[in-house]
Amino acid sequence: MSSALVWQCIRKNNAFVVKKKGGDRRIWSTEAGNLMNFHTSKFSGLANSKTVGVEPEEDGKGVVVSYKTRAARNKPKTGTRSVTYNKGARKTMKSIAATTEGSFYRGDLKRAALVRASNILLSQKEKKRKVRKIKGRKARAGLA
């Protein structure tokens, strides 16, 4: 089936749609292959024949990039390929750019994939704690 027909079938309701009550009334989606988690045809992992997904690696160091292959049309379960990148941020970003735009796969998703990978790598970094220096009377009382 075409992507447009699939989107027309699933756009009103499917198992991955999250509708919240609130101010902006934005509709979210939790499907695999949806980079921004927006319920739109551009980012849909179900409706599009070519999708890119960026997830954190299981052990917490690196990023897993998954994309659909041509076999995904007939065999959805085995139709995705996953590549793990854990050699550093710069190499990861270059590889993701080559996977999306460089190989003419989904150039429109390049920026979203890079932003998501960057945020994942940033969250995996260990945060350095600053040692606070005690000043004033408390410091003098501790020395005595």
Side-chain angles (χ1 to χ4, degrees), residues 10-116:
I10 67 169
R11 75 185 170 101
K12 289 289 185 185
N13 200 5
N14 66 54
F16 301 106
V17 172
V18 179
K19 295 180 181 178
K20 298 258 184 181
K21 294 179 181 175
D24 63 352
R25 302 274 185 191
R26 179 167 279 172
I27 300 174
W28 301 96
S29 180
T30 60
E31 63 203 29
N34 190 331
L35 284 173
M36 300 295 286
N37 293 335
F38 295 152
H39 185 62
T40 60
S41 61
K42 177 181 178 179
F43 296 113
S44 177
L46 298 173
N48 292 313
S49 59
K50 293 181 176 182
T51 62
V52 177
V54 180
E55 302 296 327
E57 196 179 14
E58 292 292 322
D59 64 352
K61 295 195 177 185
V63 174
V64 178
V65 177
S66 59
Y67 55 93
K68 280 187 182 181
T69 60
R70 289 185 181 193
R73 294 178 190 145
N74 300 325
K75 300 176 184 177
K77 186 177 180 182
T78 59
T80 58
R81 295 279 181 260
S82 296
V83 182
T84 304
Y85 299 114
N86 54 10
K87 298 287 184 190
R90 194 170 295 215
K91 282 188 177 184
T92 300
M93 297 302 165
K94 192 171 182 182
S95 300
I96 290 173
T99 302
T100 55
E101 192 177 42
S103 62
F104 304 107
Y105 188 72
R106 284 285 301 267
D108 59 329
L109 296 181
K110 175 188 168 189
R111 184 173 172 88
L114 291 176
V115 167
R116 188 170 179 115

